[in-house]
Amino acid sequence: MSQQQSPRDVSIDEIPVDIANTQSGDVHASDVPEEIQSLTRALASTEPPTNPLVVLKAARWWYIHGKGGADPAFQWAIEWARHLATDTPSDVDRFDEFLEYLVTVGFADNTAELR
């Protein structure tokens, strides 16, 4: 699917980057493109993505539109990609922060709904 880009809406792939809203830290579930929502929900599920490139696609979006390197969704995506690349255990505390953040953003009413 091709989409036109404007100076406010650019990207290297089909997921738009809204320049005016970069690193605002004020993300709501309705602001998240469908593909990123799907990837983010998958990262919270019992069967997360196993392709690090897919995980990094979500990380990139959250880094740009969320709180930068401090964004919990970005941090969890990076942590999961590290786990996939090195086959070492992932940080459970970071995962819990990620789930709580998704509730704050509006992906679910509570963390149990995400699993």
Side-chain angles (χ1 to χ4, degrees), residues 42-53:
L43 283 167
S45 75
T46 56
E47 295 183 24
T50 57
N51 182 333
L53 295 177

Side-chain angles (χ1 to χ4, degrees), residues 43 52 55-56 58-60 62 72-82 94 98:
L43 283 167
V55 174
L56 292 173
R60 176 183 63 116
W62 284 102
F74 166 76
Q75 290 180 347
W76 176 250
I78 294 299
E79 175 68 11
W80 185 249
R82 183 195 61 79
R94 189 158 286 173
F98 165 63

Side-chain angles (χ1 to χ4, degrees), residues 34-92:
E34 187 176 321
E35 182 179 3
I36 298 303
Q37 273 194 31
S38 176
L39 292 172
T40 302
R41 288 183 187 281
L43 283 167
S45 75
T46 56
E47 295 183 24
T50 57
N51 182 333
L53 295 177
V54 169
V55 174
L56 292 173
K57 189 174 195 177
R60 176 183 63 116
W61 191 93
W62 284 102
Y63 180 86
I64 292 169
H65 293 94
K67 301 173 185 177
D71 190 272
F74 166 76
Q75 290 180 347
W76 176 250
I78 294 299
E79 175 68 11
W80 185 249
R82 183 195 61 79
H83 163 73
L84 293 172
T86 63
D87 200 29
T88 57
S90 55
D91 185 340
V92 175

